[in-house]
Amino acid sequence: MNNNREVLIYAISLFLVTFAVRAVNNMVGTTTPLLAKYGFSFSNALVGVLTSVVAAVNLLSIILINARLPSRLRRAFFMVSNATIPILLLLYYLSNSVDIWVISIVTGFAYGLIVPNLLTSASIFGDQATAERLLVLYTLALSTSLVVGPLLETYLLTHLNYRSVYLPFIPLAVLALALSFKLKFPPDPPRNRGYSAIHGNVLRNRGLVSAMLATTTYSVPFAVFTAFIAIYAQSIYHVSKYLAYFSFVPFFLTSFLTRLYLTVRVPRGLFLPMLISITITIVGISMLYLSPTYTAFLVAMTLLGVPHGSTYPLSTLMVSRGTSIEERNVANSYF
């Protein structure tokens, strides 16, 4: 009974932290290109450069710092990074065309020390069956935030400009900070098995390599959607700014429903579901490119929500099933 209560409390804490972190992270990732484009008159190419620089810094903070820190230091960096996010949201509101580069880079660096640890915290609690359910619950929290966040921002954009949208998300960032101390971190590897050995084994791990290749099929298109889909909707279909941002809603709603299904029915075999997801990605992107109207464009976005909802949780299951707990932080960092 006590064990069930402990699992429930941890599941609720994990869900709320993940929801808050991802809602804010997605808002920043999707709004900053719009602020740069329409607030600071950046060209499309410069918007792409800004997005790429932030992603590169994010990657470096994950690989060079998060993947190599011992557990106690990693937890401290995790807490400090969560504490900086509310401040950064205020700075976005006060930003100009120059300092938005610095603010965005610091944000990318901070999230590189936050996001992998959420995934790891979900994958190490309880036995393997419990951990897998928490993993899928973690991805469900991601999807829930990606439905609620864009709906909220769509509404906010009927009253606010892109600069002001950052401010209403500060309470969510504070919530993430308040609950982040409840999350568990895996133990450090034993002294006779150093981090260099861990890194070598992880990089040769077939489960991790398969997961990285599989998730690339959705993460690369999604990176483009994050930076440009609302700009695309305004440029091609000439819709208002809030309708352009609404493009994310059917996409993330379908993703949410897909992950809700996977939470209830965790698949045993992963190859066939992954193959279906990749096929739907190809079909959906083709439909998106060929859409003659905004309505058809929304249909394509709705379809693309299915692989977005399935590919990531399936990939996390590959990593979880293919690595030990002591390898999990390194594996999730590279993933």
Side-chain angles (χ1 to χ4, degrees), residues 57-237:
V57 171
N58 180 263
L59 177 65
L60 290 174
S61 71
I62 293 172
I63 298 299
L64 299 182
I65 299 178
N66 191 75
R68 299 173 184 275
L69 287 176
S71 184
R72 182 180 298 178
L73 270 179
R74 195 167 66 253
R75 187 186 188 92
F77 273 74
F78 175 77
M79 298 296 296
V80 170
S81 297
N82 270 298
T84 64
I85 299 300
I87 300 170
L88 289 166
L89 294 179
L90 178 60
L91 292 177
Y92 274 110
Y93 173 71
L94 301 171
S95 66
N96 57 44
S97 59
V98 176
D99 57 28
I100 192 174
W101 290 87
V102 178
I103 297 166
S104 297
I105 287 170
V106 174
T107 304
F109 183 87
Y111 275 117
L113 302 174
I114 295 173
V115 176
N117 290 303
L118 295 178
L119 174 57
T120 300
S121 296
S123 68
I124 63 171
F125 191 87
D127 57 22
Q128 183 67 21
T130 301
E132 289 195 2
R133 290 207 174 275
L134 286 175
L135 267 176
V136 183
L137 179 69
Y138 156 80
T139 64
L140 182 64
L142 295 178
S143 283
T144 306
S145 69
L146 295 178
V147 173
V148 175
L151 276 173
L152 174 60
E153 185 159 350
T154 299
Y155 170 74
L156 291 172
L157 286 173
T158 63
H159 298 85
L160 303 176
N161 58 27
Y162 291 125
R163 180 190 296 275
S164 301
V165 164
Y166 293 87
L167 298 180
F169 283 83
I170 290 177
L172 275 177
V174 173
L175 174 65
L177 172 62
L179 292 176
S180 58
F181 72 93
K182 291 184 174 293
L183 299 187
K184 293 185 179 294
F185 281 64
D188 292 325
R191 292 183 178 181
N192 61 353
R193 194 179 181 210
Y195 276 99
S196 58
I198 293 283
H199 280 261
N201 286 340
V202 164
L203 288 174
R204 292 190 297 269
N205 185 282
R206 291 184 179 181
L208 174 63
V209 173
S210 298
M212 291 170 69
L213 291 174
T215 202
T216 299
T217 64
Y218 110 89
S219 61
V220 171
F222 180 60
V224 178
F225 296 161
T226 299
F228 289 110
I229 206 68
I231 295 174
Y232 182 83
Q234 288 188 62
S235 302
I236 301 300
Y237 304 111

Side-chain angles (χ1 to χ4, degrees), residues 26 48 89-90 141 166 178 243 254 266 277-278 283 285 318:
N26 183 68
L89 294 179
L90 178 60
Y166 293 87
L243 274 181
T254 312
V266 179
S277 296
I278 294 171
V283 173
I285 290 175
M318 287 182 182

